[in-house]
Amino acid sequence: MKEYNIFPVLDDHGLHKVPMRLYWLLLLLLRPYISWVLVLTLPESQRDILSLIYPLQFDFIIACAIASPLLLILAAISQRKPKGQAWWFQVWRHSRIILLLVAIIDLLLTIKHLPDQVMLDAPWRILAPIAISVGILWLMRSRTLGLVFAEWPTAEDKKKTANK
């Protein structure tokens, strides 16, 4: 009897699949940019909703600056295919360290900007530091991430996809 793997470990190019948790962590850490895009899509009368998340404009600018290295990781993920640019591997190889540094800085900034009475005023704001802490622990302890960040499609993979 043939055994089918529900969650295959390798993708179509023979590389380890990027874990879905990594995408969720990127979404969590890129929340300043996501909120910015959401605010830009709202009508002009509702654009002050960003002030609910970031009361001071300087906090929003700092949060965007902290999350900006993650945009490089997103670009590197998009190039992790046989027809992608090979020089993105330099960014991809160091992505775990970049993610860890951004997550730690974001956690410290998030905790610093929590209100004094956070559990009484806005208990939902405690979810972000908890989720970032779990993400940091996963980044430090995951064995799969080491394999994922060490791989990149080779020229042989490019030839295989060109022949298909």
Side-chain angles (χ1 to χ4, degrees):
M1 188 169 177
K2 193 172 184 179
E3 184 178 325
Y4 292 100
N5 193 353
I6 296 174
F7 299 108
V9 178
L10 303 178
D11 63 4
D12 296 338
H13 309 295
L15 302 174
H16 283 86
K17 283 189 170 187
V18 177
M20 189 59 79
R21 284 178 251 163
L22 180 66
Y23 292 115
W24 286 109
L25 183 62
L26 283 170
L27 279 174
L28 176 67
L29 295 174
L30 285 169
R31 64 189 186 284
Y33 287 103
I34 294 169
S35 60
W36 189 14
V37 169
L38 289 175
V39 166
L40 290 176
T41 60
L42 290 174
E44 202 168 318
S45 62
Q46 297 177 348
R47 289 201 178 166
D48 59 344
I49 198 166
L50 188 61
S51 64
L52 294 174
I53 302 168
Y54 298 101
L56 300 174
Q57 184 179 7
F58 184 72
D59 293 342
F60 173 70
I61 293 169
I62 292 296
C64 285
I66 290 170
S68 63
L70 299 176
L71 298 175
L72 289 172
I73 294 174
L74 283 178
I77 287 176
S78 72
Q79 293 297 312
R80 193 176 181 255
K81 56 190 176 191
K83 293 183 180 181
Q85 299 293 323
W87 54 272
W88 279 104
F89 178 57
Q90 301 303 320
V91 175
W92 183 248
R93 185 173 56 182
H94 301 293
S95 292
R96 189 176 196 169
I97 297 167
I98 295 170
L99 275 165
L100 194 58
L101 289 174
V102 168
I104 289 170
I105 293 169
D106 191 10
L107 177 65
L108 294 174
L109 186 71
T110 304
I111 289 173
K112 180 183 175 223
H113 291 289
L114 285 176
D116 293 334
Q117 302 288 329
V118 69
M119 293 310 287
L120 299 175
D121 296 338
W124 56 270
R125 292 188 72 181
I126 201 75
L127 292 176
I130 291 171
I132 295 170
S133 299
V134 169
I136 290 171
L137 289 174
W138 176 68
L139 280 171
M140 292 190 307
R141 298 189 51 96
S142 176
R143 294 179 189 160
T144 308
L145 280 181
L147 298 172
V148 169
F149 289 132
E151 293 181 331
W152 195 259
T154 61
E156 296 169 1
D157 296 331
K158 291 181 183 179
K159 290 178 186 175
K160 288 178 188 175
T161 56
N163 292 336
K164 286 185 179 181

